[in-house]
Amino acid sequence: MRGEDLTRRRVLGIGGALGLMAATGLAAAGGMARRPPTTGAELRSAVPLPPPFRVPLPVPPVLAPVGADRYEITQRATTAEILPGVRTPLWTYGGAFPGPTIESRRGRPITVTHHNELPVPTVVHLHGGRTPAASDGYPTDLVLPRDWHAGHGMHDPRAVVTERTREYTFPMDQRSALLWYHDHRMDFTAPAIWRGLAGLHIVRDDAEDALGLPAGPRELPLMIADRAFAADGAFAYPSLDPTLRELPGVHEPYVAGVLGDVILVNGAPWPVHEVDAARYRLRLLNASNARHYELEAVTEDGRRLDLVQVGADQGLLAGPVTHRVLPIAPAERYDVVVDFADVPVGSRVVLVNRLGVDRTRDVMAFRVARRAADDSRVPPVLATDLPTWRREDAVTVRDFAFRAGRVHGRHGWLIGGLPFDPARTDVTTNLGDVEVWRLVADVHHPVHLHLVGFRVLSRGGRPPLPHDAGLKDTVSLRPGESAEIITRFDGYRGRYLFHCHNAEHEDMAMMANLEVV
Ligand code: C2O
Ligand code: CU
Ligand code: CU
């Protein structure tokens, strides 16, 4: 039971909504007027950190099927050299962090069989997938490790699926988009992702292939994630229980989110990538637990290159949107084209995080190596299939507040005043209904819905921001901010989730059930 589980948790000295608001800078700001750039606290690495832009950017290999549209992944522990000369133990999909990239075609179903050789139960969720509930990775649908006995940690009686191997079926009946797969075990998602359980999944289709966007080596998936390293080389993480068997959550001062002081892209620290002086398509994912970024591409002479956005979380925009700065919250994806044609050969373009300080300002660099022909293009019309739901189409309007609160005497994070309970249905909706959800936040909360894509209708009572364009599955609420989203509950009936994608908030109960009937 969730309740028993929460009372078992250690009661911490500090915490509570007020302590937390102070820690995140809200109280000091005198309310909601000033928006602090981060929600969370930064862990400092205990090993020397390498200079930036030395390690080449890895691109995760595309997973080969084992049969027609069938994939197998073994989840296992391994070690890797992430910082030069330092061995880091990892939990991985298939022995690598990030895991192997799955490439699928729209409308062509695949199955992915996961084997769990890790020391803890796991759950696989395809983030952004339009997936039947049985394969969506509900947080108690566990894949058990080999030596797991009842009595170890939380076991929910509703966790009916407790196998050592599990086959997930993905119909892929959805728009082409960059998705990602990651762990989703109840109460322990954040440390599992932190230890390495995350990988990319790209859905493609013929219409997108025909657009002429930069492709092949000029299409780069970039999984951005911060981490910190302990003295022994392991990823540091402030878990209440380092074995991850008993106590979920993190200790103070990290309850608002765990930030690292090393920025990894595709698992490499501040990497560098050699590029042609041509257009590149960068498929950005923020896979950080809690860190937000505001990305800029800055040349050596201080120019900011255009970030021409062609896609959002759930695929192509109707037409390109040009940004100079692109905010990206945990779990969000942006598909942007950057043109290096005017950058002098031999010079560098740095992807900078405006919200970072010192080392966390740098993300990665591109070194322009040579002039090159470029027949790619960014057409003015990218897609014509974007939903056009209007406010008047909504049959239901719901309100959800995302706020700090107490859960059985401990610090927690609540939706509508309630902590996650797998036994309670929070929202029941009819398949096919259009709904408007009004969301409001205390600190930063990136709010994610399973199953559906949505559009942002408004932000703070005003029109959406330029980066809210297109079809989203995660919307970033800033401190004190409200937003309205609209969606149609299409796809499948069954039990799904919505939650905050700050992974620490999620583990500390900021999640709710969504039942499509
Ligand atoms: Cu990215 Cu419920 O998850
Ligand atoms: Cu998801
Ligand atoms: Cu949150």
Side-chain angles (χ1 to χ4, degrees), residues 402 413 443-446 500-502 505-506 510:
F402 288 74
W413 294 97
V443 295
H444 289 94
H445 295 295
C500 177
H501 220 294
N502 173 312
H505 297 190
E506 177 182 341
M510 195 168 249

Side-chain angles (χ1 to χ4, degrees), residues 425-437:
T425 299
D426 299 278
V427 169
T428 305
T429 186
N430 299 304
L431 188 71
D433 275 4
V434 175
E435 298 200 2
V436 168
W437 287 17

Side-chain angles (χ1 to χ4, degrees), residues 116-422:
N116 184 5
E117 292 182 0
L118 291 167
V120 295
T122 60
V123 171
V124 183
H125 170 59
L126 177 60
H127 181 123
R130 209 158 90 117
T131 306
S135 287
D136 195 50
Y138 192 79
T140 54
D141 286 351
L142 306 176
V143 189
L144 290 185
R146 216 176 276 135
D147 64 340
W148 194 258
H149 307 292
H152 261 151
M154 183 218 74
H155 41 103
D156 189 295
R158 283 163 303 270
V160 283
V161 187
T162 48
E163 298 152 1
R164 282 167 173 80
T165 278
R166 186 168 162 83
E167 186 180 287
Y168 294 85
T169 302
F170 302 111
M172 307 319 312
D173 175 19
Q174 59 183 98
R175 307 182 80 224
S176 59
L178 173 66
L179 315 181
W180 61 304
Y181 60 102
H182 61 73
D183 196 67
H184 216 306
R185 176 187 168 206
M186 180 162 145
D187 296 342
F188 296 96
T189 292
I193 294 178
W194 187 267
R195 286 169 188 221
L197 291 180
L200 300 168
H201 182 132
I202 302 176
V203 191
R204 301 192 183 277
D205 71 10
D206 298 345
E208 183 182 310
D209 291 350
L211 289 176
L213 295 170
R218 293 188 190 162
E219 177 189 358
L220 294 171
L222 301 176
M223 178 195 278
I224 304 172
D226 58 340
R227 294 291 185 270
F229 293 80
D232 62 0
F235 285 146
Y237 190 81
S239 285
L240 291 181
D241 172 10
T243 71
L244 299 184
R245 294 200 164 208
E246 299 284 350
L247 290 165
V250 291
H251 56 71
E252 292 286 1
Y254 302 101
V255 291
V258 178
L259 311 174
D261 60 353
V262 176
I263 308 298
L264 305 178
V265 183
N266 296 344
W270 302 288
V272 60
H273 191 64
E274 250 191 26
V275 294
D276 299 335
R279 278 184 216 91
Y280 278 70
R281 179 180 183 186
L282 308 180
R283 311 200 67 172
L284 301 160
L285 159 67
N286 180 357
S288 308
N289 281 22
R291 185 178 288 280
H292 289 245
Y293 302 77
E294 282 183 8
L295 299 175
E296 297 176 323
V298 184
T299 63
E300 280 179 15
D301 54 359
R303 270 189 313 130
R304 288 187 297 166
L305 300 183
D306 282 349
L307 305 170
V308 180
Q309 188 191 350
V310 296
D313 302 333
Q314 286 286 315
L316 293 168
L317 305 183
V321 177
T322 299
H323 309 272
R324 283 288 165 81
V325 179
L326 194 57
I328 180 167
E332 283 191 305
R333 286 91 70 212
Y334 289 93
D335 194 350
V336 301
V337 173
V338 176
D339 193 349
F340 297 110
D342 294 335
V343 178
V345 168
S347 75
R348 196 157 78 181
V349 174
V350 176
L351 197 60
V352 167
N353 172 22
R354 280 215 315 201
L355 300 178
V357 187
D358 302 330
R359 297 300 312 266
T360 58
R361 272 188 79 79
D362 292 330
V363 175
M364 66 170 291
F366 300 92
R367 209 185 71 81
V368 180
R370 61 194 83 79
R371 301 263 140 233
D374 188 357
D375 59 0
S376 72
R377 52 194 286 266
V378 180
V381 176
L382 296 161
T384 52
D385 65 337
L386 278 143
T388 52
W389 310 301
R390 292 155 313 153
R391 199 180 291 276
E392 309 82 78
D393 302 329
V395 296
T396 312
V397 177
R398 302 181 200 264
D399 287 280
F400 297 102
F402 288 74
R403 296 192 200 287
R406 308 295 292 176
V407 182
H408 292 274
R410 221 198 112 192
H411 200 291
W413 294 97
L414 311 177
I415 302 177
L418 297 171
F420 180 59
D421 179 349

